[in-house]
Amino acid sequence: MNRPGRKRKPARRAAWSMLLGGLGVAVVMMGIGAYAVGTGQSVGPDQEAIWPAGTEIGISREFGRRQQAGGEATIVTCAVTPENGNPHTIDAMWGERISPRFTGPASITCEYRAKVLTGGALTTAGITRGPLVAVPLFVAGLGVFFFFPRFTAFAASLSHPFGRLVVKLTGRDRRYWEH
């Protein structure tokens, strides 16, 4: 509803929408990623999970267990024991898809507590916990940039950084440059 004498500011509303929308989408993506990881099988040095026959898996850190789940390590070592084969170890990056090198199911234990993801949970976690989360955060950043007019004015002043210097040095009015 518009009141008389009050101007609507659609650019400000759009910026507000970008800010809230970007943050909202990022939070939803992170929540879906947390839920997808939570549905995985727990695995660790004292806990084994089952690697279903013929499926790709991903090993993901549990939330809230950064120090216990390998700290800053990017690679996790796991022991895989196929039902009808020789045991072997694999070194995998967190969240990487791993294809089986055996037939039939296998049991898996890892050096750190983690979650083993398969199927849709693996794909969902890969999308929502990957670099794609940066897109809505970038949109939220643009919303902040456009919401505050000082940021926009500063960005506009960067388009002609030497304009004021030329006016000062020549003593000419800005209207001279507008012709």
Side-chain angles (χ1 to χ4, degrees):
M1 178 165 110
N2 265 347
R3 293 184 198 160
R6 187 173 181 195
K7 291 183 180 179
R8 291 181 61 192
K9 297 183 180 180
R12 199 165 182 93
R13 285 186 183 162
W16 186 248
S17 297
M18 288 172 68
L19 172 65
L20 292 180
L23 288 176
V25 169
V27 166
V28 167
M29 285 179 74
M30 289 180 200
I32 290 171
Y35 176 76
V37 169
T39 62
Q41 297 180 59
S42 294
V43 66
D46 57 345
Q47 191 172 15
E48 95 179 11
I50 301 299
W51 186 337
T55 60
E56 290 184 330
I57 66 165
I59 301 168
S60 188
R61 284 188 179 107
E62 292 181 329
F63 283 105
R65 296 187 173 262
R66 188 158 186 96
Q67 295 305 316
Q68 296 90 3
E72 298 300 321
T74 57
I75 296 178
V76 61
T77 302
C78 297
V80 178
T81 308
E83 201 173 70
N84 57 0
N86 295 329
H88 62 279
T89 59
I90 56 171
D91 293 322
M93 292 179 56
W94 293 107
E96 168 185 42
R97 284 184 175 265
I98 308 165
S99 298
R101 294 181 279 168
F102 51 85
T103 57
S107 63
I108 182 171
T109 58
C110 296
E111 64 182 328
Y112 304 115
R113 292 196 45 77
K115 293 284 191 172
V116 175
L117 304 175
T118 59
L122 177 60
T123 303
T124 302
I127 291 170
T128 57
R129 294 184 75 194
L132 193 60
V133 172
V135 173
L137 292 177
F138 177 74
V139 170
L142 284 177
V144 168
F145 185 76
F146 291 129
F147 184 71
F148 296 102
R150 290 183 188 204
F151 289 140
T152 309
F154 175 71
S157 72
L158 292 178
S159 65
H160 299 290
F162 301 108
R164 291 183 184 161
L165 179 63
V166 170
V167 170
K168 284 181 184 178
L169 291 175
T170 61
R172 296 183 185 194
D173 192 279
R174 288 184 185 210
R175 286 175 279 167
Y176 174 80
W177 299 101
E178 292 175 0
H179 291 299

